[in-house]
Protein backbone atom coordinates (compact mmCIF):
# COMPACT_ATOMS: atom_id res chain seq x y z
CA UNK A 1 0.00 0.00 0.00
CA UNK A 2 1.16 3.55 -0.70
CA UNK A 3 1.55 6.21 1.97
CA UNK A 4 -1.66 7.91 0.80
CA UNK A 5 -3.63 4.65 1.00
CA UNK A 6 -2.21 3.97 4.48
CA UNK A 7 -3.20 7.42 5.69
CA UNK A 8 -6.72 6.98 4.25
CA UNK A 9 -7.09 3.56 5.87
CA UNK A 10 -6.01 4.98 9.25
CA UNK A 11 -8.13 8.13 9.02
CA UNK A 12 -10.98 7.78 11.57
CA UNK A 13 -12.91 10.72 10.06
CA UNK A 14 -12.96 8.96 6.69
CA UNK A 15 -14.24 5.77 8.34
CA UNK A 16 -17.02 7.72 10.06
CA UNK A 17 -17.97 9.38 6.77
CA UNK A 18 -18.15 6.04 4.99
CA UNK A 19 -20.25 4.59 7.82
CA UNK A 20 -22.65 7.53 7.54
CA UNK A 21 -22.94 7.03 3.77
CA UNK A 22 -23.73 3.32 4.26
CA UNK A 23 -26.31 4.21 6.90
CA UNK A 24 -27.98 6.76 4.62
CA UNK A 25 -28.13 4.22 1.78
CA UNK A 26 -29.68 1.63 4.10
CA UNK A 27 -32.21 4.17 5.37
CA UNK A 28 -33.08 5.18 1.79
CA UNK A 29 -34.13 1.57 1.20
CA UNK A 30 -35.46 0.66 4.64
CA UNK A 31 -37.75 3.68 5.20
CA UNK A 32 -39.94 3.35 2.07
CA UNK A 33 -39.91 -0.45 2.34
CA UNK A 34 -40.95 -0.32 5.99
CA UNK A 35 -43.67 2.21 5.20
CA UNK A 36 -45.05 -0.01 2.43
CA UNK A 37 -45.05 -3.07 4.69
CA UNK A 38 -46.75 -1.09 7.47
CA UNK A 39 -49.50 0.14 5.12
CA UNK A 40 -50.10 -3.40 3.84
CA UNK A 41 -50.38 -4.68 7.44
CA UNK A 42 -52.87 -1.90 8.27
CA UNK A 43 -54.84 -2.80 5.15
CA UNK A 44 -54.90 -6.48 6.15
CA UNK A 45 -55.90 -5.74 9.74
CA UNK A 46 -58.54 -3.17 8.74
CA UNK A 47 -60.23 -5.48 6.24
CA UNK A 48 -60.36 -8.38 8.72
CA UNK A 49 -61.28 -6.24 11.72
CA UNK A 50 -64.23 -4.52 10.04
CA UNK A 51 -65.25 -7.62 8.04
CA UNK A 52 -65.19 -5.75 4.75
CA UNK A 53 -66.71 -7.91 1.98
CA UNK A 54 -64.14 -9.23 -0.49
CA UNK A 55 -65.99 -7.81 -3.51
CA UNK A 56 -65.57 -4.30 -2.03
CA UNK A 57 -61.99 -4.43 -0.72
CA UNK A 58 -60.04 -7.70 -0.66
CA UNK A 59 -57.32 -8.33 1.88
CA UNK A 60 -53.69 -8.20 0.66
CA UNK A 61 -53.53 -11.98 1.09
CA UNK A 62 -56.48 -12.36 -1.32
CA UNK A 63 -54.74 -10.09 -3.84
CA UNK A 64 -51.50 -12.07 -3.47
CA UNK A 65 -53.41 -15.32 -4.05
CA UNK A 66 -55.03 -13.85 -7.17
CA UNK A 67 -51.60 -12.75 -8.45
CA UNK A 68 -50.34 -16.32 -8.13
CA UNK A 69 -53.50 -18.17 -9.15
CA UNK A 70 -54.36 -15.92 -12.12
CA UNK A 71 -50.77 -15.20 -13.16
CA UNK A 72 -51.12 -16.90 -16.60
CA UNK A 73 -54.16 -14.70 -17.36
CA UNK A 74 -52.40 -11.60 -16.05
CA UNK A 75 -49.29 -12.35 -18.09
CA UNK A 76 -51.31 -12.98 -21.26
CA UNK A 77 -52.91 -9.55 -20.86
CA UNK A 78 -49.65 -7.91 -19.79
CA UNK A 79 -47.91 -8.36 -23.16
CA UNK A 80 -50.49 -6.48 -25.32
CA UNK A 81 -50.44 -3.52 -22.90
CA UNK A 82 -46.64 -3.52 -22.85
CA UNK A 83 -46.53 -3.57 -26.66
CA UNK A 84 -49.05 -0.73 -26.98
CA UNK A 85 -47.30 1.33 -24.27
CA UNK A 86 -43.85 1.00 -25.83
CA UNK A 87 -45.12 1.80 -29.34
CA UNK A 88 -47.07 4.80 -28.08
CA UNK A 89 -44.07 5.96 -26.06
CA UNK A 90 -41.76 5.76 -29.08
CA UNK A 91 -44.19 7.34 -31.57
CA UNK A 92 -45.32 10.14 -29.25
CA UNK A 93 -41.84 11.14 -28.15
CA UNK A 94 -40.28 10.99 -31.61
CA UNK A 95 -43.07 13.24 -32.91
CA UNK A 96 -42.60 15.62 -29.96
CA UNK A 97 -38.83 15.86 -30.46
CA UNK A 98 -39.13 16.49 -34.21
CA UNK A 99 -41.77 19.17 -33.73
CA UNK A 100 -39.74 20.77 -30.95
CA UNK A 101 -36.76 21.02 -33.31
CA UNK A 102 -39.01 22.64 -35.93
CA UNK A 103 -40.32 25.12 -33.32
CA UNK A 104 -36.82 26.13 -32.23
CA UNK A 105 -35.64 26.71 -35.79
CA UNK A 106 -38.77 28.56 -36.95
CA UNK A 107 -40.68 31.01 -34.81
CA UNK A 108 -43.42 31.10 -37.44
CA UNK A 109 -44.02 27.35 -37.15
CA UNK A 110 -44.06 27.65 -33.34
CA UNK A 111 -46.60 30.50 -33.40
CA UNK A 112 -48.80 28.59 -35.85
CA UNK A 113 -48.86 25.14 -34.22
CA UNK A 114 -48.01 25.50 -30.53
CA UNK A 115 -51.50 26.84 -29.64
CA UNK A 116 -52.99 23.83 -31.42
CA UNK A 117 -50.81 21.47 -29.37
CA UNK A 118 -51.94 23.25 -26.19
CA UNK A 119 -55.59 22.96 -27.24
CA UNK A 120 -55.31 19.24 -27.94
CA UNK A 121 -53.60 18.75 -24.58
CA UNK A 122 -56.53 20.40 -22.77
CA UNK A 123 -58.93 17.71 -24.01
CA UNK A 124 -59.25 14.94 -21.36
CA UNK A 125 -57.85 11.67 -22.64
CA UNK A 126 -61.04 9.86 -21.61
CA UNK A 127 -63.03 12.24 -23.83
CA UNK A 128 -60.81 11.95 -26.90
CA UNK A 129 -60.26 8.16 -26.66
CA UNK A 130 -63.72 7.20 -28.05
CA UNK A 131 -63.20 9.60 -30.95
CA UNK A 132 -59.86 7.98 -31.81
CA UNK A 133 -61.40 4.52 -31.59
CA UNK A 134 -64.13 5.62 -34.02
CA UNK A 135 -61.49 7.00 -36.41
CA UNK A 136 -58.93 4.17 -36.24
CA UNK A 137 -61.13 1.27 -35.18
CA UNK A 138 -60.83 -0.88 -32.06
CA UNK A 139 -57.49 -2.40 -33.08
CA UNK A 140 -53.89 -1.67 -32.16
CA UNK A 141 -53.62 1.69 -33.96
CA UNK A 142 -56.14 3.51 -31.75
CA UNK A 143 -54.43 2.37 -28.55
CA UNK A 144 -50.99 3.38 -29.82
CA UNK A 145 -52.29 6.81 -30.87
CA UNK A 146 -53.90 7.34 -27.45
CA UNK A 147 -50.69 6.33 -25.67
CA UNK A 148 -48.64 8.55 -28.01
CA UNK A 149 -50.97 11.50 -27.50
CA UNK A 150 -50.70 11.37 -23.72
CA UNK A 151 -46.88 11.28 -24.01
CA UNK A 152 -46.61 14.00 -26.61
CA UNK A 153 -47.17 17.36 -24.89
CA UNK A 154 -44.87 17.06 -21.83
CA UNK A 155 -41.99 15.98 -24.08
CA UNK A 156 -42.72 18.77 -26.56
CA UNK A 157 -42.66 21.47 -23.88
CA UNK A 158 -39.54 20.14 -22.15
CA UNK A 159 -37.67 19.59 -25.41
CA UNK A 160 -38.41 23.12 -26.64
CA UNK A 161 -37.24 24.50 -23.31
CA UNK A 162 -34.11 22.35 -23.40
CA UNK A 163 -33.18 23.34 -26.95
CA UNK A 164 -33.62 27.00 -26.06
CA UNK A 165 -31.73 26.74 -22.76
CA UNK A 166 -28.38 27.27 -24.41
CA UNK A 167 -25.81 29.73 -23.11
CA UNK A 168 -25.82 32.87 -25.30
CA UNK A 169 -22.03 32.92 -24.99
CA UNK A 170 -21.83 29.40 -26.45
CA UNK A 171 -24.05 30.41 -29.38
CA UNK A 172 -22.04 33.57 -29.97
CA UNK A 173 -18.79 31.61 -29.93
CA UNK A 174 -20.23 29.09 -32.40
CA UNK A 175 -21.22 31.91 -34.77
CA UNK A 176 -17.77 33.47 -34.48
CA UNK A 177 -16.29 30.11 -35.44
CA UNK A 178 -18.69 29.98 -38.44
CA UNK A 179 -20.50 26.89 -37.18
CA UNK A 180 -23.46 25.82 -39.29
CA UNK A 181 -26.99 25.40 -37.90
CA UNK A 182 -26.60 21.64 -37.93
CA UNK A 183 -23.30 21.85 -36.04
CA UNK A 184 -24.86 24.17 -33.46
CA UNK A 185 -27.78 21.77 -33.06
CA UNK A 186 -25.77 18.55 -32.68
CA UNK A 187 -22.89 19.96 -30.61
CA UNK A 188 -24.58 22.62 -28.48
CA UNK A 189 -28.39 22.55 -28.48
CA UNK A 190 -28.96 18.78 -28.33
CA UNK A 191 -26.50 18.05 -25.48
CA UNK A 192 -27.94 20.90 -23.41
CA UNK A 193 -31.48 19.61 -23.97
CA UNK A 194 -30.85 16.02 -22.83
CA UNK A 195 -31.56 16.58 -19.11
CA UNK A 196 -34.86 18.26 -20.02
CA UNK A 197 -35.68 15.50 -22.49
CA UNK A 198 -35.08 12.67 -20.04
CA UNK A 199 -37.14 14.42 -17.38
CA UNK A 200 -40.03 14.38 -19.83
CA UNK A 201 -39.34 10.81 -20.95
CA UNK A 202 -39.59 9.55 -17.36
CA UNK A 203 -43.03 11.14 -17.12
CA UNK A 204 -44.01 9.77 -20.53
CA UNK A 205 -42.85 6.28 -19.55
CA UNK A 206 -45.61 6.07 -16.94
CA UNK A 207 -48.29 8.02 -18.80
CA UNK A 208 -47.92 5.83 -21.89
CA UNK A 209 -49.17 2.90 -19.79
CA UNK A 210 -52.16 5.01 -18.74
CA UNK A 211 -52.88 5.82 -22.38
CA UNK A 212 -52.72 2.17 -23.43
CA UNK A 213 -55.04 1.13 -20.60
CA UNK A 214 -57.53 3.91 -21.41
CA UNK A 215 -57.53 2.73 -25.03
CA UNK A 216 -58.25 -0.81 -23.85
CA UNK A 217 -61.12 0.45 -21.71
CA UNK A 218 -62.81 1.96 -24.75
CA UNK A 219 -62.54 -1.12 -26.92
CA UNK A 220 -60.42 -4.24 -26.51
CA UNK A 221 -60.75 -7.89 -25.61
CA UNK A 222 -57.12 -8.26 -24.42
CA UNK A 223 -54.81 -6.18 -22.28
CA UNK A 224 -54.68 -5.07 -18.66
CA UNK A 225 -57.30 -2.37 -19.31
CA UNK A 226 -59.73 -4.93 -20.71
CA UNK A 227 -59.03 -7.22 -17.76
CA UNK A 228 -59.75 -4.36 -15.33
CA UNK A 229 -63.14 -3.79 -16.96
CA UNK A 230 -63.93 -7.52 -16.96
CA UNK A 231 -62.96 -7.94 -13.29
CA UNK A 232 -64.99 -4.87 -12.31
CA UNK A 233 -68.19 -6.02 -13.99
CA UNK A 234 -67.79 -9.52 -12.53
CA UNK A 235 -67.12 -8.14 -9.01
CA UNK A 236 -63.85 -10.07 -8.99
CA UNK A 237 -62.14 -7.62 -6.64
CA UNK A 238 -58.97 -9.67 -5.95
CA UNK A 239 -58.30 -9.99 -9.70
CA UNK A 240 -59.07 -6.28 -10.16
CA UNK A 241 -56.51 -5.28 -7.53
CA UNK A 242 -53.98 -7.77 -8.91
CA UNK A 243 -54.39 -6.27 -12.38
CA UNK A 244 -53.90 -2.76 -10.99
CA UNK A 245 -50.69 -3.88 -9.28
CA UNK A 246 -49.54 -5.47 -12.54
CA UNK A 247 -50.22 -2.18 -14.36
CA UNK A 248 -48.25 -0.31 -11.71
CA UNK A 249 -45.39 -2.77 -12.14
CA UNK A 250 -45.37 -2.09 -15.89
CA UNK A 251 -45.13 1.67 -15.25
CA UNK A 252 -42.26 1.13 -12.81
CA UNK A 253 -40.48 -1.10 -15.34
CA UNK A 254 -40.70 1.53 -18.08
CA UNK A 255 -39.65 4.33 -15.70
CA UNK A 256 -36.64 2.28 -14.56
CA UNK A 257 -35.65 1.55 -18.16
CA UNK A 258 -35.64 5.25 -19.06
CA UNK A 259 -33.67 6.05 -15.88
CA UNK A 260 -31.01 3.49 -16.80
CA UNK A 261 -30.73 4.89 -20.33
CA UNK A 262 -30.42 8.40 -18.87
CA UNK A 263 -27.48 7.32 -16.71
CA UNK A 264 -25.76 5.87 -19.75
CA UNK A 265 -26.37 8.88 -21.99
CA UNK A 266 -26.25 11.90 -19.66
CA UNK A 267 -22.88 11.74 -17.92
CA UNK A 268 -22.61 15.33 -16.71
Amino acid sequence: MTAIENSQAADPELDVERALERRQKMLAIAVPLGTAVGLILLWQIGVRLFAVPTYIAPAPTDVAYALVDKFPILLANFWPTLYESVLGFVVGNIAAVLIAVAFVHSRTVERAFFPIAVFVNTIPILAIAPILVLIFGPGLTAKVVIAALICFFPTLVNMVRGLQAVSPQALELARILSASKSEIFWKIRLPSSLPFLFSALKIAATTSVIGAIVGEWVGADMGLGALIIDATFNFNSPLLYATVFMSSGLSVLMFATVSIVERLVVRW
Side-chain angles (χ1 to χ4, degrees):
M1 295 177 67
T2 65
I4 295 175
E5 290 173 340
N6 283 326
S7 63
Q8 288 178 343
D11 189 353
E13 292 184 1
L14 187 59
D15 291 339
V16 171
E17 187 177 335
R18 288 174 178 171
L20 286 173
E21 287 180 359
R22 287 195 296 269
R23 184 171 178 270
Q24 288 174 353
K25 289 179 180 179
M26 291 177 63
L27 284 174
I29 298 172
V31 170
L33 184 62
T35 303
V37 171
L39 290 173
I40 291 172
L41 286 175
L42 285 174
W43 176 10
Q44 179 77 25
I45 293 169
V47 168
R48 298 305 185 200
L49 183 64
F50 296 102
V52 180
T54 302
Y55 65 86
I56 294 178
T61 50
D62 297 327
V63 178
Y65 177 79
L67 276 168
V68 175
D69 186 54
K70 302 295 185 181
F71 186 74
I73 296 173
L74 289 165
L75 191 61
N77 286 275
F78 175 85
W79 296 119
T81 305
L82 173 63
Y83 186 60
E84 294 155 6
S85 301
V86 171
L87 276 181
F89 175 83
V90 171
V91 171
N93 287 295
I94 287 177
V97 170
L98 293 176
I99 293 174
V101 173
F103 282 179
V104 169
H105 286 91
S106 174
R107 295 289 296 173
T108 302
V109 173
E110 182 181 7
R111 291 192 189 98
F113 291 100
F114 190 74
I116 297 173
V118 173
F119 172 75
V120 172
N121 186 64
T122 61
I123 304 173
I125 196 66
L126 283 171
I128 201 170
I131 298 173
L132 295 173
V133 171
L134 286 174
I135 294 172
F136 297 105
L140 174 67
T141 304
K143 300 171 188 60
V144 172
V145 171
I146 294 168
L149 196 60
I150 204 171
C151 294
F152 173 79
F153 191 75
T155 302
L156 174 66
V157 172
N158 276 272
M159 192 63 183
V160 169
R161 184 182 175 192
L163 291 171
Q164 291 175 342
V166 179
S167 168
Q169 292 82 2
L171 289 177
E172 185 62 28
L173 178 60
R175 293 189 183 98
I176 291 172
L177 296 174
S178 301
S180 65
K181 284 188 176 182
S182 63
E183 288 174 331
I184 293 173
F185 174 78
W186 290 108
K187 295 182 180 181
I188 299 177
R189 289 192 184 277
L190 185 60
S192 71
S193 71
L194 289 180
F196 295 87
L197 175 61
F198 276 101
S199 295
L201 291 181
K202 285 188 280 191
I203 297 171
T206 56
T207 56
S208 64
V209 178
I210 297 173
I213 289 176
V214 168
E216 292 166 351
W217 283 353
V218 177
D221 54 4
M222 285 294 292
L224 295 175
L227 191 59
I228 287 172
I229 296 297
D230 183 69
T232 302
F233 281 120
N234 288 291
F235 294 96
N236 192 342
S237 189
L239 179 60
L240 171 61
Y241 278 62
T243 309
V244 170
F245 279 115
M246 183 73 85
S247 305
S248 178
L250 174 56
S251 296
V252 171
L253 175 64
M254 293 192 63
F255 182 91
T257 302
V258 174
S259 298
I260 292 169
V261 174
E262 180 183 20
R263 290 179 185 177
L264 296 173
V265 174
V266 183
R267 295 181 174 272
W268 56 89

